[in-house]
Amino acid sequence: MKKPLDRVPAPTINLPERIDQLSAKRQEIIRPILEHPREYVLLSVRAMAERLRTDPATIVRIVRGLGFATYRDFQHHLHDLSVAFATSLDTMQSADRGADMPAFVRDALGQDLKNLQGLKNSLDAQRLAALAKRFYEARRIVVLASDLASLLAEYLEYQISLLGLPIFSARSAGRIVHLTRAVNKRDLVIGVTFRRGLRQTVEGVQQARGHGAYCVGISDTYISPLARECDEFFVASTESTSFAASYVAPVALLDAILAACAQYRRPHTLALLEEIAEEQRKGVRWYAR
């Protein structure tokens, strides 16, 4: 991916159903785009039409037939598809092959900064304040994440536990099933999964919501299944110029949530931190010369 498109959430569209309503000829035209979105996302209408051996007017009619108001909205969707279905090979190959090693490093840090800036520009602080209130009102907080995202669950669980809140993380299929089976409408469930979404995380959120829990999703694309399954949804980009997904923005989002929780009951937080500070100054965990 060369450059992410400016992003605004698009209305939910049942794309398979819309595709079925197109004529057979138009389905054949659109199929290569949806199968290989990274190759088409940055093309203009004219360039896309030339590549598909059709005319711009036909592309526009197909886009509208799929339920998108504008071609720009369709590009947003292609960008989301390219993120959701990207592999480590795709992201590695997207880097400038002619660059030297220092340039690769600068590009990697530059992408991290873009991800952070995107989060900063899109994040609504009022939503985090409301979410902090739910943290304190919940009977218990359950964080669902697997694979590499389990690191984020562990991080959030560790930090929130310092505030004395009842938080539990589930990072394996079995624990996700068992924890979400016991939740109810007094519980807060946070699901974290990126790209297409790991099955056990998504199904855990589905089970939790079925039991009445308030569910919050964190992902890197608006077409994540968590966007459909959760009561509210946050996006933090993991785009990278290397083989590894960048977790800079997701960690920053968690830090923003922690900041909101700490300030929500500031006197309570300060009282707890007085005890923690004593241990941090004199505790046996710390190396003494």
Side-chain angles (χ1 to χ4, degrees):
M1 297 292 299
K2 296 179 182 178
K3 178 181 177 183
L5 300 167
D6 296 333
R7 185 68 173 117
V8 291
T12 301
I13 293 174
N14 188 335
L15 204 57
E17 182 179 296
R18 293 276 188 168
I19 291 173
D20 287 342
Q21 294 173 358
L22 297 176
S23 67
K25 183 178 180 180
R26 290 185 177 179
Q27 287 183 34
E28 285 301 311
I29 291 173
I30 202 69
R31 183 173 290 111
I33 303 173
L34 300 179
E35 290 178 351
H36 305 283
R38 297 176 70 87
E39 299 178 13
Y40 294 88
V41 62
L42 297 177
L43 297 182
S44 67
V45 177
R46 186 175 299 278
M48 184 178 288
E50 289 178 359
R51 185 161 181 175
L52 296 172
R53 299 180 181 180
T54 186
D55 59 273
T58 298
I59 294 296
V60 171
R61 284 192 289 269
I62 292 173
V63 166
R64 289 178 177 171
L66 292 175
F68 298 97
T70 66
Y71 181 74
R72 186 69 170 175
D73 290 336
F74 181 59
Q75 281 185 300
H76 288 322
H77 183 75
L78 291 183
H79 177 255
D80 283 340
L81 282 178
S82 67
V83 170
F85 288 87
T87 66
S88 297
L89 178 63
D90 291 330
T91 56
M92 188 74 181
Q93 289 179 331
S94 68
D96 183 359
R97 298 179 186 180
D100 56 19
M101 185 62 71
F104 276 122
V105 173
R106 288 192 296 270
D107 286 347
L109 292 173
Q111 184 61 59
D112 286 344
L113 289 174
K114 288 179 183 178
N115 294 348
L116 278 175
Q117 192 63 48
L119 176 67
K120 180 182 177 182
N121 292 341
S122 63
L123 196 58
D124 182 353
Q126 291 299 324
R127 288 182 64 201
L128 291 190
L131 183 58
K133 183 173 184 289
R134 289 188 180 276
F135 267 75
Y136 279 93
E137 292 178 345
R139 181 186 66 142
R140 57 181 175 176
I141 305 151
V142 178
V143 187
L144 310 179
S146 300
D147 202 6
L148 187 59
S150 63
L151 299 175
L152 299 175
E154 184 177 8
Y155 178 71
L156 185 61
E157 180 184 30
Y158 183 93
Q159 299 286 32
I160 288 295
S161 67
L162 297 182
L163 300 179
L165 297 177
I167 184 167
F168 307 87
S169 67
R171 290 168 272 164
S172 66
R175 183 160 170 80
I176 288 173
V177 169
H178 297 319
L179 271 184
T180 55
R181 183 188 296 118
V183 299
N184 60 37
K185 64 182 180 181
R186 294 179 294 160
D187 296 321
L188 172 64
V189 173
I190 300 172
V192 186
T193 189
F194 301 104
R195 295 182 177 170
R196 284 180 287 173
L198 290 174
R199 177 184 298 177
Q200 60 199 48
T201 304
V202 175
E203 290 180 351
V205 168
Q206 290 173 332
Q207 177 164 278
R209 195 173 187 191
H211 286 272
Y214 188 85
C215 295
V216 176
I218 296 175
S219 188
D220 54 350
T221 169
Y222 288 96
I223 63 171
S224 167
L226 292 183
R228 301 189 301 270
E229 302 297 339
C230 292
D231 296 286
E232 61 178 311
F233 181 67
F234 294 90
V235 169
S237 176
T238 62
E239 287 200 50
S240 168
T241 60
S242 183
F243 69 93
S246 169
Y247 273 22
V248 171
V251 170
L253 173 59
L254 297 187
D255 285 342
I257 292 172
L258 292 170
C261 289
Q263 292 296 328
Y264 183 74
R265 291 185 180 172
R266 183 179 174 84
H268 173 72
T269 301
L270 291 175
L272 289 172
L273 293 181
E274 284 184 10
E275 296 182 29
I276 294 171
E278 187 67 17
E279 191 278 331
Q280 290 175 338
R281 283 192 292 264
K282 303 176 183 179
V284 297
R285 291 188 301 133
W286 304 96
Y287 177 75
R289 294 185 180 182

